[in-house]
Amino acid sequence: SATARSRTGYLIRFAGCPIAWASRLQTEIALSTTEAEVIALSTALRDVIPMMNLLNEMCAREIVPEKYKPRVYCNAFEDNSGAYEIAKFPKMRPRTKHINIKYHHFRSYVDRKLIEIYAIDTDDQLADLWTKPLADDKFHKFTELSMGWKFTQRDQG
């Protein structure tokens, strides 16, 4: 069935290994592509932040030996320039004020440089693997980059 709701997709990796991923319809209708992208970023970071907090708590309770304590941070990649601007630079704009208020729970992490938002070219956005149909070559490339699965000639038909 057709829907006006956008699809959120993301991959969370720890030490280069995929540990969580999701693909689901957003619960509300976004009024713009930028808003849909901010919602997707916010949704992904809602899963990342508790993981970061858990790692920090494990370090604080000395569950992790001192010499192995990691620096806990997150790199997030955004291919929509409007969503990137909203996430990276907290400036209120009349047309996006409602987005800023509702989806900026991660702002303090960005301010403390625990979450860094990077602009990425649309052709390199791995989250597309979970949000849209891809051509075979792009599907194989993204699957290998995100999950480490390599397709052989036999697999490709």
Side-chain angles (χ1 to χ4, degrees):
S1 68
T3 179
R5 294 185 296 159
S6 298
R7 180 165 293 279
T8 289
Y10 57 88
L11 167 69
I12 299 170
R13 293 191 288 200
F14 179 73
C17 299
I19 59 169
W21 54 90
S23 175
R24 57 182 167 256
L25 288 177
Q26 294 177 356
T27 56
E28 59 189 274
I29 296 172
L31 301 178
S32 67
T33 305
T34 295
E35 183 176 1
E37 291 279 348
V38 171
I39 292 170
L41 180 62
S42 174
T43 301
L45 292 177
R46 263 183 283 175
D47 280 354
V48 167
I49 289 170
M51 292 178 196
M52 292 173 65
N53 292 340
L54 176 63
L55 284 169
N56 282 322
E57 184 175 336
M58 289 171 65
C59 290
R61 293 176 184 251
E62 299 178 2
I63 294 171
V64 178
E66 185 66 37
K67 68 179 184 176
Y68 296 114
K69 281 188 180 178
R71 177 178 168 262
V72 179
Y73 66 96
C74 170
N75 292 330
F77 300 93
E78 180 54 60
D79 66 348
N80 179 282
S81 61
Y84 171 79
E85 290 289 323
I86 289 169
K88 187 89 171 163
F89 309 106
K91 178 181 171 189
M92 288 292 182
R93 299 161 184 90
R95 293 178 60 174
T96 61
K97 186 176 179 181
H98 66 290
I99 300 171
N100 287 339
I101 292 168
K102 187 167 185 179
Y103 295 104
H104 267 229
H105 59 88
F106 57 87
R107 170 61 40 211
S108 67
Y109 289 83
V110 173
D111 291 343
R112 292 181 287 154
K113 303 215 181 310
L114 297 173
I115 293 176
E116 185 71 42
I117 312 291
Y118 293 97
I120 189 170
D121 189 89
T122 299
D123 290 334
D124 297 324
Q125 180 56 281
L126 293 179
D128 286 352
L129 192 57
W130 288 271
T131 61
K132 58 185 75 160
L134 300 171
D136 284 350
D137 60 334
K138 199 169 196 178
F139 174 80
H140 294 148
K141 174 186 169 189
F142 284 0
T143 303
E144 184 176 346
L145 289 171
S146 61
M147 301 292 197
W149 299 339
K150 189 154 185 105
F151 288 87
T152 63
Q153 285 295 337
R154 194 180 86 198
D155 296 332
Q156 296 178 24

